[in-house]
Amino acid sequence: MAWPEISIEDFPPRRDDEPSSLRQEIIDELSDHFACALNRELLKNPDEQLARKRVLEQFGDPIKVARQLWLEAMKEKIMSQRILTGVAVVMAVCGFIVVGLVWSMMKESQAFNNRMMAQMAEMANRPEPVTSDEVNQQILKQLEQLNQNRSVEPDTVATGMNQLAFQLVAEDQDERLPHNYAGTLTKSGDRSEEFTLEAVSNGRGMLDFGKLPWGKYRLTLKAPWGETLHQNVYVIPGRDMTEEIVCPTDKPEVVSVRFRLNWPEEVDSEDWYLVCDFRNSSDGNRQIESSRLIQGENWIYRRSSTRDASGVYLINSKSMIAVCPLNEEGEYEDIHLEELAFDSSTRMIQGKHALPDLMLIQKQDLPQLAEVNRIPSFQSLNKSRSAAGNYNLQYRALVGDSTRFGRIEGNTFLLIPLMNHPPPWTKVKTRPEGGHTLYASGLELTKRLEFKAIKGEQNLWKINLPDLDEFIIPQGTPGGGQGFF
């Protein structure tokens, strides 16, 4: 007979509302788990009696565990029945209490009835049938609770080994199967439980990680051209898993993109150029990043800047575009307009692009744009104000994405880094309570500018420059200590 010896008769008396397969499912799942634990112990010590004893010491009497799992699975139905019976009794008693008891007792009964009705409504919203997935969740929860109650060390916790694989399929019913996709799987949990596995998909599109213990994992899937997907995976004990992932079969294409700048009326746009820096910081490196949505999953494509595709663009008052030159470190270089080729459009990778940084540069300052790389920090002003009129100021590295007070995410910054004095359209603001004048070299917009480059469509990206009288521009006084020009 299989061990442990558990039968349907070991459970409490059968209920009318009990699913017919519930007991057998619990027996099968629990038997598989105990058998896996026994096999693991036999690998350590061939003495079968000693191995069974150690398994029982870890988990207790299997019949008691089976009864407890049955009770957890049936708790909802048992409690629902009890609550319905209790409510009927309470409502009948309340009818007599209303006649004979004082007002205070009536208030207590009403409060009690409200609590009971809330519990009934909560349980009525839960799904009625008990599925095998719910049984698996109860087993996982119960085993974790048992391990916590017994304070078992991580290396002795029983971990059911389960097969985990991913079937990669192509998008849009493409018959080609994704192959040579690299997968990295990381186990979550305490540091002692963490580990990382790597695998590569075969010619059938199968990415197989073999037998693994149950728990939470983090999957990173990378296409041959570098596009990546990040996904959480949950492994349930006693069940092999093969999940399907829809993948791109080709790298994103290059599409045409045009810009339209809407300048404020008070600005003579002929004297100004706008630098659009689409790069994001990752581990201290500035990279071009785009993403595309495939079957509800976000695939991210990161590339390093090149001479022809730097991720930084210069736009003039006529919305003509040129690629900004960068040095090998990804820093800005001086710009000489006669050396640039302006066009009405540029070429960018299809997908969603975020625009974290904008810089307004006067035409006369373009030949000294490289000086921006030496500005240690600039002070940006959040456009929103508190009710008291206070502004939110942040210090942020000009080349990079770090701040003096932590990383800033989610917004776009509009900067004027090379001004020696406020331009004629700005208004210098002072603290509401008086005192020193507030200076800033940029404006933090209320949200991050995002655009989509779509294949086969007219990609016209509009940038509305805000009213620049909201800027606070540094006066460039010597010895100010702000690092401004």
Side-chain angles (χ1 to χ4, degrees):
M1 182 177 291
W3 184 86
E5 299 178 1
I6 309 174
S7 66
I8 295 178
E9 287 72 20
D10 293 325
F11 289 85
R14 184 177 294 276
R15 294 174 53 91
D16 294 336
D17 56 354
E18 177 183 342
S20 59
S21 61
L22 174 62
R23 301 185 179 210
Q24 189 60 47
E25 288 179 354
I26 293 177
I27 291 174
D28 293 342
E29 296 288 350
L30 199 58
S31 297
D32 288 344
H33 192 83
F34 269 77
C36 290
L38 178 61
N39 291 335
R40 187 176 60 258
E41 291 294 337
L42 288 174
L43 293 177
K44 300 178 182 178
N45 191 322
D47 189 340
E48 184 173 351
Q49 293 299 326
L50 180 59
R52 291 186 178 185
K53 180 180 179 182
R54 289 180 176 176
V55 172
L56 292 177
E57 288 176 352
Q58 290 179 6
F59 298 103
D61 185 357
I63 295 178
K64 291 183 178 180
V65 175
R67 284 172 168 263
Q68 192 167 2
L69 293 176
W70 177 88
L71 181 59
E72 289 291 335
M74 292 299 300
K75 182 186 297 183
E76 178 180 342
K77 295 180 178 295
I78 295 173
M79 291 303 297
S80 177
Q81 185 179 30
R82 291 179 178 177
I83 289 175
L84 289 175
T85 303
V87 168
V89 174
V90 170
M91 294 299 292
V93 172
C94 287
F96 294 100
I97 293 177
V98 169
V99 177
L101 296 181
V102 294
W103 175 254
S104 61
M105 294 297 295
M106 293 175 58
K107 295 293 290 182
E108 291 180 3
S109 298
Q110 184 179 5
F112 177 77
N113 289 336
N114 291 337
R115 291 195 300 269
M116 296 296 291
M117 294 300 295
Q119 292 178 6
M120 289 181 60
E122 181 180 354
M123 297 195 70
N125 292 329
R126 298 178 184 174
E128 286 296 331
V130 179
T131 64
S132 58
D133 288 339
E134 291 174 329
V135 174
N136 288 332
Q137 292 176 6
Q138 292 294 339
I139 293 175
L140 179 60
K141 184 188 299 182
Q142 190 62 33
L143 290 175
E144 289 178 348
Q145 186 64 41
L146 289 172
N147 289 330
Q148 293 175 0
N149 293 341
R150 290 174 171 80
S151 300
V152 182
E153 293 297 327
D155 57 349
T156 63
V157 173
T159 54
M161 303 298 288
N162 306 278
Q163 186 76 22
L164 178 61
F166 299 90
Q167 177 62 62
L168 308 185
V169 297
E171 61 175 327
D172 299 330
Q173 298 181 346
D174 194 320
E175 294 182 355
R176 293 175 296 171
L177 290 175
H179 65 281
N180 290 333
Y181 279 60
T184 301
L185 194 68
T186 302
K187 178 76 163 61
S188 302
D190 297 335
R191 182 172 300 178
S192 60
E193 298 177 347
E194 292 181 354
F195 61 85
T196 299
L197 298 175
E198 295 181 352
V200 178
S201 62
N202 58 25
R204 301 187 304 276
M206 184 63 68
L207 185 68
D208 194 346
F209 286 97
K211 294 283 187 178
L212 296 172
W214 57 265
K216 179 181 177 181
Y217 293 82
R218 179 69 170 173
L219 173 67
T220 299
L221 185 60
K222 180 177 291 188
W225 53 88
E227 202 169 6
T228 58
L229 168 70
H230 301 282
Q231 196 175 73
N232 289 326
V233 181
Y234 298 89
V235 177
I236 300 174
R239 173 172 296 180
D240 294 339
M241 295 179 58
T242 301
E243 292 193 2
E244 184 178 275
I245 299 179
V246 181
C247 304
T249 52
D250 294 302
K251 67 179 181 180
E253 297 187 24
V254 177
V255 299
S256 177
V257 171
R258 294 183 297 131
F259 288 88
R260 177 183 294 171
L261 300 186
N262 296 323
W263 295 84
E265 295 181 357
E266 69 272 17
V267 177
D268 185 1
S269 59
E270 296 288 340
D271 294 333
W272 293 86
Y273 284 76
L274 185 69
V275 175
C276 298
D277 194 336
F278 282 89
R279 298 173 298 167
N280 286 306
S281 286
S282 177
D283 300 328
N285 298 321
R286 300 275 284 177
Q287 293 183 316
I288 311 172
E289 180 179 302
S290 60
S291 63
R292 53 178 172 168
L293 202 63
I294 298 178
Q295 291 293 317
E297 298 291 345
N298 203 35
W299 288 76
I300 301 174
Y301 191 28
R302 294 188 178 97
R303 296 89 62 204
S304 299
S305 298
T306 64
R307 192 74 182 178
D308 297 327
S310 65
V312 185
Y313 303 92
L314 183 69
I315 307 177
N316 63 16
S317 60
K318 306 298 184 182
S319 295
M320 301 293 286
I321 311 165
V323 177
C324 282
L326 303 176
N327 62 21
E328 294 181 355
E329 287 74 32
E331 298 177 334
Y332 302 108
E333 290 187 345
D334 293 335
I335 292 180
H336 302 282
L337 294 177
E338 64 275 8
E339 299 177 358
L340 297 183
F342 282 87
D343 199 345
S344 60
S345 64
T346 190
R347 306 285 287 174
M348 298 183 70
I349 294 292
Q350 70 178 112
K352 185 174 70 173
H353 296 258
L355 179 54
D357 290 327
L358 298 169
M359 287 195 296
L360 272 176
I361 306 293
Q362 283 186 305
K363 182 177 181 180
Q364 65 186 26
D365 290 330
L366 290 176
Q368 58 175 338
L369 182 62
E371 295 183 12
V372 168
N373 303 316
R374 294 188 291 274
I375 299 178
S377 65
F378 68 84
Q379 196 175 31
S380 64
L381 176 69
N382 190 307
K383 193 171 183 180
S384 61
R385 287 192 296 176
S386 66
N390 297 318
Y391 289 92
N392 177 25
L393 291 172
Q394 296 274 7
Y395 287 91
R396 183 173 178 272
L398 191 56
V399 180
D401 202 20
S402 61
T403 70
R404 185 175 300 181
F405 306 114
R407 183 181 176 89
I408 293 180
E409 296 181 348
N411 293 345
T412 296
F413 289 84
L414 179 60
L415 322 170
I416 309 182
L418 298 177
M419 289 297 297
N420 293 315
H421 56 81
W425 64 79
T426 61
K427 299 177 183 179
V428 176
K429 301 179 184 295
T430 59
R431 296 182 185 275
E433 68 275 11
H436 299 289
T437 301
L438 293 177
Y439 297 120
S441 59
L443 182 67
E444 180 185 354
L445 304 184
T446 56
K447 63 180 181 179
R448 174 68 61 94
L449 296 181
E450 293 183 343
F451 306 96
K452 289 184 179 180
I454 303 175
K455 178 182 176 181
E457 293 192 11
Q458 297 290 332
N459 298 299
L460 179 60
W461 295 358
K462 300 178 183 179
I463 298 179
N464 299 316
L465 297 178
D467 293 333
L468 298 182
D469 61 0
E470 293 293 332
F471 268 107
I472 299 178
I473 304 300
Q475 304 243 10
T477 55
Q482 300 292 341
F484 301 131
F485 288 87

